[in-house]
Amino acid sequence: MAEPTKKATKAAPKKAAAKRKPAAKRKPAAKRAAPKKAAARKTTPDFAARAQEASRNAFLASLGFYGKAFDQVQDQFNTLQDQLEARRAKADKVYKELVKRGTKVEKTAKGAIKDIELPKIELDSIADRKKLDAQLKKAKARFEELRESVSFKAAA
């Protein structure tokens, strides 16, 4: 650019004043127009890039939110699963203890029943109400002893 201005001054000293005015007006206008267009072009891609980056960051933030929520739900589920397994183990242990106790009570009850001597009841002995009442009292007393020995309490 520096060379064309030197040639113009050397070639026509007479017309230099006439040519300089339009050339001077055009060059600043051209310089001003070029930076504005370049600035407008730089602003538009820069704005588009920033908008694209902002939208991507918003998408990643929402994705991160869902990921965090999923992790929290997974942790809660695992905690509940562990609690459920612990309760099942405890329930199995209690069940086995109840079976053992039931076996003991059954053995004791069978022994108590064997200890009670019940004579063969005939039709004639059924008619004898006093004898039947005496046997019933004896059986009730024996079961009461059995209940106390097992420490079993009736609900009603």
Side-chain angles (χ1 to χ4, degrees), residues 38-73:
R41 287 180 187 165
K42 287 181 182 177
T43 305
T44 304
D46 186 38
F47 176 75
R50 284 187 291 155
Q52 187 177 14
E53 183 180 351
S55 65
R56 178 157 172 77
N57 287 342
F59 169 73
L60 291 175
S62 64
L63 191 61
F65 172 77
Y66 287 120
K68 188 173 184 177
F70 178 79
D71 290 343
Q72 288 177 351
V73 168

Side-chain angles (χ1 to χ4, degrees), residues 85-101:
E85 288 176 12
R87 287 182 180 173
R88 283 183 181 162
K90 187 177 179 180
D92 287 341
K93 185 178 178 182
V94 169
Y95 178 75
K96 288 177 182 178
E97 288 175 6
L98 291 174
V99 168
K100 284 182 181 179
R101 182 163 182 190

Side-chain angles (χ1 to χ4, degrees), residues 72-92:
Q72 288 177 351
V73 168
Q74 191 69 29
D75 289 342
Q76 288 178 352
F77 178 75
N78 290 339
T79 301
L80 290 174
Q81 192 72 16
D82 293 342
Q83 289 175 356
L84 181 63
E85 288 176 12
R87 287 182 180 173
R88 283 183 181 162
K90 187 177 179 180
D92 287 341

Side-chain angles (χ1 to χ4, degrees), residues 15-148:
K15 296 181 182 179
K19 283 187 178 180
R20 284 184 186 170
K21 290 182 183 178
K25 289 182 181 178
R26 287 182 187 168
K27 285 182 182 178
K31 287 181 182 177
R32 288 180 187 163
K36 287 182 182 177
K37 289 180 182 177
R41 287 180 187 165
K42 287 181 182 177
T43 305
T44 304
D46 186 38
F47 176 75
R50 284 187 291 155
Q52 187 177 14
E53 183 180 351
S55 65
R56 178 157 172 77
N57 287 342
F59 169 73
L60 291 175
S62 64
L63 191 61
F65 172 77
Y66 287 120
K68 188 173 184 177
F70 178 79
D71 290 343
Q72 288 177 351
V73 168
Q74 191 69 29
D75 289 342
Q76 288 178 352
F77 178 75
N78 290 339
T79 301
L80 290 174
Q81 192 72 16
D82 293 342
Q83 289 175 356
L84 181 63
E85 288 176 12
R87 287 182 180 173
R88 283 183 181 162
K90 187 177 179 180
D92 287 341
K93 185 178 178 182
V94 169
Y95 178 75
K96 288 177 182 178
E97 288 175 6
L98 291 174
V99 168
K100 284 182 181 179
R101 182 163 182 190
T103 305
K104 285 182 181 180
V105 170
E106 181 185 32
K107 286 180 182 179
T108 308
K110 283 183 179 180
I113 290 174
K114 285 182 182 179
D115 288 345
I116 298 174
E117 293 180 20
L118 293 174
K120 290 185 180 180
I121 301 175
E122 298 176 9
L123 292 177
D124 294 336
S125 65
I126 292 177
D128 191 10
R129 185 77 176 169
K130 289 181 183 179
K131 230 180 187 181
L132 188 58
D133 285 335
Q135 288 178 351
L136 187 59
K137 282 183 182 181
K138 187 178 179 183
K140 283 183 181 180
R142 184 67 177 136
F143 278 117
E144 191 62 36
E145 289 175 20
L146 176 65
R147 184 182 298 166
E148 289 174 6

